[in-house]
Amino acid sequence: MHHDPSPLQARSAPRLVPSLYLDLDQMLDEFTRLPMRAKFHFDPDMPAVITVEFLAERGPSLVWLVGRELLRLGVTAMSGSGDVRMWPTLPGGRPSSWLLLESEEVEALFEVPTGALAQWLDETYRVVSAESEMDALNWDDFLGELLGGPTAPSA
């Protein structure tokens, strides 16, 4: 039997968290709701960002990248600023939060049930903690992509 005394061990692959599908309502106006389905996806390689795909019955789906912390906080308190905000609905009904998405082309308000979302988010934090979610981020590539240019200086 061979025993390897080295302290270096292979890092285990991150545990996958299945995507969460939620039935939610898009508020078309103060009184009109459009039921729809959304898929929340967690990638352990980019743990700070949750991909939310709003699945359209007809036409293309709409994809937004939302901060995981924004979603976690928005279940119980006002969270976010600018293009994405989330806050709990008034008490008394089913536990839910409002999710507001804004851009130059679109403004959409969704009522999101928060029970399953909160449990799912807890599972993502068991895979990658809040304290370590930025550890694996390649800052050079991230900033290059964010700024829309190459990461290495041009000659």
Side-chain angles (χ1 to χ4, degrees):
M1 184 153 94
H2 174 59
H3 174 69
D4 183 4
S6 76
L8 300 175
Q9 296 182 359
R11 185 174 172 205
S12 62
R15 198 171 84 215
L16 295 179
V17 176
S19 294
L20 172 69
Y21 289 86
L22 284 179
D23 292 319
L24 44 87
D25 290 326
Q26 180 180 0
M27 304 302 296
L28 300 178
D29 60 37
E30 191 175 340
F31 303 104
T32 310
R33 295 171 176 266
L34 175 64
M36 67 170 28
R37 200 149 167 80
K39 175 184 170 186
F40 292 74
H41 178 74
F42 172 73
D43 179 354
D45 292 330
M46 287 289 291
V49 177
I50 300 296
T51 302
V52 184
E53 182 178 2
F54 297 92
L55 306 168
E57 208 170 283
R58 295 184 196 116
S61 298
L62 180 64
V63 175
W64 278 72
L65 302 177
V66 179
R68 181 169 66 151
E69 182 73 2
L70 184 149
L71 290 172
R72 185 183 70 79
L73 292 174
V75 167
T76 57
M78 176 60 89
S79 178
S81 62
D83 294 349
V84 181
R85 287 173 275 169
M86 187 168 168
W87 65 96
T89 60
L90 295 174
R94 68 179 177 152
S96 62
S97 288
W98 298 113
L99 176 62
L100 178 63
L101 306 174
E102 293 180 303
S103 74
E104 290 181 16
E105 301 85 27
V106 160
E107 178 177 304
L109 179 65
F110 300 92
E111 185 175 7
V112 180
T114 53
L117 178 60
Q119 289 176 345
W120 182 82
L121 288 167
D122 286 347
E123 184 64 25
T124 71
Y125 281 105
R126 282 191 279 282
V127 173
V128 179
S129 70
E131 297 78 25
S132 65
E133 70 183 7
M134 296 299 202
D135 290 354
L137 184 61
N138 180 331
W139 286 99
D140 291 335
D141 288 348
F142 174 74
L143 290 173
E145 195 172 310
L146 184 65
L147 300 173
T151 55
S154 57

